[in-house]
Amino acid sequence: MCQTVEKKLAKEDAWIKDLDLDAFGAEMKALGKKLQREQGPEDGEHLKKMVNWSRIATVIGLLTLWMYPNPVTVFCLSLGTFMRWTMIGHHTCHGGYENVDTTCVGGPTTYKRFRFAWGSLYRRVIDWMDWMLPEAWDMEHNRTHHYKLGEIEDPDLVENNLVDLRASDAPLFAKYMTVAFFMMTWKWFYYAPNTYKCLKYAELRRDRLLTKSMIAKKEESVTVKALIAGTAEGLSLTEFITRIIGPVFIYNFVILPLPVWLLFGETSYYYAMINLLLAEIVTNIHSFIAIVTNHAGDDLYRFDTPCRAHTPTFYLRAIISSANFSSGTDVVDVAHGFLNYQIEHHSWPFLSMRSYQKAQPQVEAICKKYGVPYVKHNVFWRLKKTVDIMVGTAKMRTWPEGVVDETRFR
């Protein structure tokens, strides 16, 4: 058992003093290797199934785009976009299919990291066209968020990103209205500019142009508002528009509805635009509920120190700073964008969607064995907990340093 020191713990942290961190970490590491070895043709077929579901939803939405604004068109367009990001782009860009033959779903190299949606506007349009540039999202999400989870340098630490709203003297109702605005717009208002910032800072660092003042502000999130105001040092509104969101706007709101104008006339074109705008709002809300809620709540931990990847501490943080949702079938998992396996995904970011389905009961059993909290709730309960963090009526737990000897893993 790891060496510990005596320290008074809060009731909710009492489990820590009995944790055998080394043994726990060894079992988690062994399970990850086992799951990766077991990936094969079934994972490729499962990916094919999910890609086809996404395409079917998108096609139905596009074929009915000309109709009077209706829930079927909006739902299908929204779902197709949601699946393309949270399931297909997400797990592919993490390398979930590097050791899987994906010939059955579009060729042996299409669903591979650093190729899927990378390197050109053509690949972005063909593979995954969304408000975030895939290369920027990789820098923010894959390389930073996953390996700084719950730390102050985590770009997705909700409690830190919403510190101004939390500390505001505004009425609670006004805070809730602000959160509602974020839900409907967060992909282009916050996530696209913040991922752009992460990519741009990496490029400036590479070119040795990153200033001390930029480094001092690296933990601050960036929104469209900051880019318009010109207060985000090193970032250009013009580049953000031309490189990041401009192509998406043209694709979604110029190219997609244009055939409707040509085939059905002006009235149907206006219907198409309304359907597209409503689908954009719905997919923002849907993805907010499935994504932002993953790592926020008064029952999840944040940390004051870093840790090395794939160590016992890394696996522990993946679990106690993440929340799972209802799961078990493809229909349920698609509704959550396969983000209902966030604990397993943060433990081993490089696995396929199917592997997370297999891993979930095994990880839960390991946690029960070692007394590690395994948080799994209905997604709407997690939404409530997340909003509480955002508006300042609740706060995250802070990991008590020194109870378990983790110095070897930093």
Side-chain angles (χ1 to χ4, degrees):
M1 182 175 293
C2 295
Q3 180 183 357
T4 62
V5 297
E6 290 295 327
K7 188 172 184 177
K8 187 176 181 180
L9 294 171
K11 182 179 179 181
E12 62 269 18
D13 300 331
W15 62 274
I16 301 171
K17 68 181 187 300
D18 298 319
L19 175 63
D20 188 341
L21 184 59
D22 284 338
F24 165 80
E27 285 205 37
M28 288 293 292
K29 188 171 186 176
L31 177 57
K33 290 182 177 180
K34 175 177 176 288
L35 290 164
Q36 191 172 33
R37 287 196 305 269
E38 290 176 350
Q39 291 194 165
E42 296 87 355
D43 297 271
E45 290 297 330
H46 184 264
L47 175 63
K48 178 181 178 181
K49 178 181 178 181
M50 296 299 100
V51 169
N52 285 340
W53 284 13
S54 172
R55 289 172 175 170
I56 289 171
T58 301
V59 168
I60 292 174
L62 292 177
L63 289 178
T64 58
L65 190 59
W66 59 276
M67 294 182 177
Y68 187 85
N70 65 91
V72 173
T73 301
V74 171
F75 171 79
C76 287
L77 289 172
S78 171
L79 182 62
T81 300
F82 175 78
M83 292 179 69
R84 201 67 182 169
W85 174 23
T86 61
M87 295 168 50
I88 300 162
H90 182 200
H91 295 93
T92 299
C93 291
H94 267 296
Y97 298 93
E98 295 300 289
N99 67 334
V100 174
D101 184 358
T102 58
T103 303
C104 64
V105 67
T109 61
T110 300
Y111 294 92
K112 305 299 180 184
R113 190 178 183 185
F114 306 127
R115 174 170 174 80
F116 184 85
W118 270 62
S120 69
L121 180 59
Y122 170 77
R123 286 250 57 97
R124 190 179 177 190
V125 171
I126 294 299
D127 295 331
W128 171 32
M129 191 65 162
D130 213 326
W131 293 105
M132 303 76 62
L133 183 71
E135 292 89 339
W137 181 78
D138 176 79
M139 185 61 65
E140 189 270 0
H141 179 83
N142 295 1
R143 304 189 191 202
T144 308
H145 166 63
H146 267 267
Y147 297 97
K148 300 289 185 180
L149 179 64
E151 301 172 22
I152 191 65
E153 292 186 27
D154 179 358
D156 295 334
L157 184 58
V158 172
E159 191 172 53
N160 185 58
N161 290 344
L162 275 294
V163 64
D164 290 341
L165 182 64
R166 287 172 55 82
S168 170
D169 293 329
L172 192 57
F173 176 76
K175 291 186 178 184
Y176 286 135
M177 291 299 98
T178 301
V179 171
F181 170 79
F182 286 155
M183 290 181 68
M184 294 186 289
T185 63
W186 78 287
K187 286 173 68 177
W188 61 264
F189 183 79
Y190 158 74
Y191 211 39
N194 209 46
T195 55
Y196 163 61
K197 184 204 80 170
C198 291
L199 177 64
K200 193 64 180 178
Y201 274 29
E203 293 173 345
L204 292 170
R205 186 182 301 109
R206 178 198 62 200
D207 298 334
R208 299 185 179 182
L209 297 174
L210 195 64
T211 66
K212 290 183 179 179
S213 58
M214 291 182 203
I215 294 172
K217 296 180 179 180
K218 66 179 181 178
E219 293 149 9
E220 297 181 6
S221 59
V222 172
T223 66
V224 166
K225 181 180 177 181
L227 291 174
I228 293 174
T231 57
E233 184 182 359
L235 306 182
S236 163
L237 177 62
T238 300
E239 182 183 36
F240 175 69
I241 292 173
T242 58
R243 185 181 181 188
I244 310 295
I245 66 169
V248 186
F249 180 86
I250 293 171
Y251 180 81
N252 284 350
F253 299 109
V254 177
I255 296 175
L256 289 183
L258 184 59
V260 174
W261 178 291
L262 298 175
L263 293 173
F264 300 103
E266 183 176 351
T267 300
S268 292
Y269 173 78
Y270 291 137
Y271 292 164
M273 290 296 292
I274 294 172
N275 280 320
L276 288 166
L277 287 170
L278 290 174
E280 178 64 30
I281 294 171
V282 171
T283 200
N284 268 270
I285 295 172
H286 190 181
S287 58
F288 182 99
I289 293 171
I291 295 172
V292 180
T293 55
N294 288 151
H295 306 289
D298 59 2
D299 51 357
L300 300 181
Y301 288 85
R302 59 180 297 176
F303 312 95
D304 295 328
T305 57
C307 74
R308 287 185 286 111
H310 312 304
T311 61
T313 295
F314 177 85
Y315 296 124
L316 180 65
R317 291 185 178 189
I319 294 168
I320 64 175
S321 193
S322 304
N324 276 17
F325 313 139
S326 304
S327 60
T329 68
D330 280 340
V331 172
V332 171
D333 295 344
V334 165
H336 295 88
F338 270 78
L339 299 171
N340 44 342
Y341 299 102
Q342 200 66 194
I343 288 172
E344 292 72 28
H345 175 59
H346 268 265
S347 297
W348 313 287
F350 47 79
L351 295 179
S352 69
M353 289 180 278
R354 181 174 172 273
S355 288
Y356 295 129
Q357 290 177 320
K358 294 165 56 180
Q360 189 276 322
Q362 299 180 73
V363 174
E364 190 170 13
I366 291 174
C367 289
K368 184 177 181 180
K369 177 179 177 180
Y370 289 95
V372 175
Y374 186 95
V375 177
K376 183 179 181 182
H377 292 137
N378 179 279
V379 70
F380 292 106
W381 180 245
R382 296 312 309 180
L383 175 63
K384 189 266 183 190
K385 284 184 169 290
T386 299
V387 173
D388 287 345
I389 296 293
M390 297 178 78
V391 300
T393 58
K395 64 179 182 177
M396 304 276 288
R397 295 180 184 177
T398 299
W399 176 256
E401 297 290 338
V403 179
V404 176
D405 180 13
E406 304 173 87
T407 55
R408 297 161 296 151
F409 309 131
R410 292 177 184 162

